[in-house]
């Protein structure tokens, strides 16, 4: 029987400075030599983002421990419209309030009521209509605009608050930016808020925690730069929802990766759950921000991540970057030690 000896040391190095953020790494070196050849996860993330502008957080959803991060300060302090990633909030609210069932179908007529051609749906035709799960998978603006007519404005901001929007994420025991959620005045503003295009801005850290609530069926742990065992920490937020609500949303997130807008985030042999978002930039440039947020494996998550890019689309810019990270994780991180980013 061969004995494998592990040697671990801590090295703090200036990997990159973006928005004056210095990233330090806990680097684990292992013998035998073949493990040394594996890419360090943090270094791999740095290589993917070298010419990008945005932020990324990758965590263990069972503990909140950060596995890798890029622009961590920005990911916890700067808030942006969530775009279609916010659609899980309206979906959960409508399901919980009995305004929608998992089997209800709505036929998409392409141009959402109240919103016009600027928010025209571009997904493949679905003459049989969408359920809430398939509407999430295809990011159907028409579907979620119609559902917004059933949900009053107070209820919508209530459900955003349930998922942590408007409340700071916690990083190493310290509060971060709370983002903002506003009460919509009128049906059009409410419809835009339901699809993440008005009245709500969120940090990448907050958005990640909202999706971890789905992954863990109601519990999320504080973000930490050191790996910790769950028994030594307590959930940062806990919510109660029907098991069918979680499962219906999860089905939509899995379908999004299988055949919807998140296909670029797929990992062979692993069921990934995720959602893309493309949101209008706040700077008046008429460009868009790109989002991907998700977790894997879908039923027993061990990794969750959020990708935010200043320019691009969720489907064509953020999801491919997330897919590279997830494929790298499942190809290498399970075989060796884990890298945990520090700020």
């Amino acid at each position: 029987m061969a004995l494998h000896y592990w040697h671990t040391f801590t090295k703090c190095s200036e990997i990159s400075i973006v928005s004056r953020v210095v990233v330090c790494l806990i680097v684990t070196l292992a013998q035998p030599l073949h493990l040394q050849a594996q890419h360090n996860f943090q270094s791999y993330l740095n290589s993917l983002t070298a010419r990008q502008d945005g932020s990324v957080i990758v965590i263990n959803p069972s503990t909140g421990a950060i596995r890798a991060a890029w622009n961590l300060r920005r990911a916890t302090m700067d808030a942006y419209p969530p775009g279609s990633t916010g659609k899980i909030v309206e979906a959960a609210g409508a399901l919980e309030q009995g305004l929608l069932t998992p089997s209800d179908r709505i036929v998409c007529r392409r141009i959402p009521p109240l919103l016009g051609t600027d928010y025209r749906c571009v997904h493949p035709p679905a003459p049989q209509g969408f359920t809430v799960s398939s509407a999430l998978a295809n990011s159907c603006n028409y579907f979620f605009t119609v559902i917004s007519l059933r949900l009053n404005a107070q209820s919508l901001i209530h459900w955003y608050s349930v998922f942590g929007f408007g409340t700071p994420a916690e990083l190493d025991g310290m509060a971060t930016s709370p983002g903002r959620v506003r009460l919509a005045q009128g049906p059009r503003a409410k419809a835009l808020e339901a699809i993440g295009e008005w009245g709500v801005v969120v940090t990448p850290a907050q958005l990640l925690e909202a999706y971890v609530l789905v992954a863990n069926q109601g519990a999320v742990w504080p973000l930490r730069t050191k790996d910790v065992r769950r028994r030594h920490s307590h959930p940062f937020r806990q919510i109660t929802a029907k098991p069918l609500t979680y499962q219906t949303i999860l089905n939509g997130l899995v379908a999004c990766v299988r055949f919807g807008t998140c296909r670029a985030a797929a990992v062979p042999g692993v069921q990934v759950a995720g959602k893309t978002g493309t949101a209008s930039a706040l700077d008046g440039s008429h460009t868009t921000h790109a989002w991907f947020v998700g977790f894997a494996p879908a039923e027993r998550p061990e990794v969750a991540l959020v990708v935010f890019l200043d320019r691009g689309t969720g489907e064509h810019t953020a999801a491919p970057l997330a897919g590279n990270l997830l494929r790298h994780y499942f190809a290498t991180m399970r075989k060796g030690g884990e890298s945990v980013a520090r700020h």
Side-chain angles (χ1 to χ4, degrees):
M1 177 182 296
L3 297 179
H4 293 173
Y5 293 91
W6 298 75
H7 176 64
T8 303
F9 68 92
T10 300
K11 176 183 178 182
C12 182
S13 57
E14 185 172 311
I15 302 300
S16 63
I17 302 180
V18 184
S19 301
R20 298 182 180 179
V21 174
V22 179
V23 177
C24 300
L25 302 179
I26 302 296
V27 182
T28 301
L29 295 185
Q31 298 294 338
L33 290 175
H34 75 274
L35 292 180
Q36 295 182 15
Q38 296 178 354
H39 285 287
N40 176 271
F41 194 42
Q42 178 69 49
S43 295
Y44 183 67
L45 170 58
N46 292 342
S47 71
L48 291 179
T49 56
R51 293 180 175 84
Q52 303 275 11
D53 192 8
S55 57
V56 174
I57 310 176
V58 186
I59 69 168
N60 178 343
S62 296
T63 65
I66 297 175
R67 299 187 187 277
W70 168 56
N71 282 353
L72 184 54
R73 184 185 182 281
R74 184 174 180 184
T76 57
M77 298 305 296
D78 294 351
Y80 309 89
S84 291
T85 61
K87 289 173 179 173
I88 65 164
V89 173
E90 185 190 57
L95 289 165
E96 285 293 294
Q97 291 184 216
L99 305 175
L100 179 70
T101 73
S103 60
D104 286 348
R105 289 184 178 271
I106 295 174
V107 175
C108 175
R109 303 188 186 284
R110 294 294 179 185
I111 299 175
L114 304 173
L115 302 186
T117 56
D118 286 348
Y119 297 94
R120 177 186 177 89
C121 291
V122 295
H123 52 67
Q128 76 282 11
F130 286 126
T131 65
V132 62
S133 294
S134 57
L136 281 170
N138 288 277
S139 209
C140 179
N141 286 339
Y142 186 96
F143 184 99
F144 289 98
T145 299
V146 169
I147 298 304
S148 77
L149 298 174
R150 306 178 188 178
L151 199 66
N152 66 49
Q154 289 284 0
S155 292
L156 183 57
I157 64 170
H158 164 74
W159 288 107
Y160 267 118
S161 69
V162 166
F163 278 86
F165 292 67
T167 302
E170 186 176 303
L171 174 65
D172 289 340
M174 298 178 291
T176 58
S177 171
R180 184 181 70 248
V181 180
R182 296 171 59 187
L183 179 66
Q185 302 294 325
R188 176 177 166 82
K190 177 158 60 78
L192 288 169
E193 191 164 32
I195 63 170
E197 282 285 346
W198 179 92
V200 56
V201 292
V202 63
T203 67
Q206 288 174 296
L207 187 63
L208 177 60
E209 290 189 340
Y211 275 70
V212 170
L213 285 171
V214 177
N216 291 338
Q217 295 204 6
V220 62
W221 273 258
L223 298 178
R224 300 174 183 272
T225 57
K226 293 182 179 180
D227 205 0
V228 294
R229 296 185 181 274
R230 178 182 292 186
R231 66 174 180 265
H232 295 316
S233 65
H234 302 283
F236 172 61
R237 178 176 296 108
Q238 289 183 285
I239 66 173
T240 301
K242 302 168 189 172
L244 186 58
T245 296
Y246 290 123
Q247 191 60 52
T248 301
I249 294 173
L250 180 62
N251 291 345
L253 301 182
V254 169
C256 191
V257 178
R258 287 181 58 204
F259 58 77
T261 61
C262 301
R263 283 171 291 180
V267 178
V270 178
Q271 193 174 66
V272 178
K275 185 75 187 76
T276 54
T278 301
S280 301
L282 295 174
D283 59 8
S285 62
H286 302 290
T287 56
T288 56
H289 300 311
W291 292 97
F292 176 89
V293 57
F295 48 88
E299 296 290 348
R300 296 176 63 88
E302 61 184 73
V303 61
L305 78 167
V306 62
V307 173
F308 171 81
L309 297 174
D310 256 348
R311 296 291 183 265
T313 67
E315 181 175 6
H316 300 294
T317 315
L321 194 156
N324 284 331
L325 288 170
L326 289 169
R327 288 186 289 273
H328 184 85
Y329 172 86
F330 285 102
T332 64
M333 292 285 284
R334 280 178 162 182
K335 298 176 183 177
E338 295 181 0
S339 300
V340 180
R342 304 196 68 177
H343 70 300

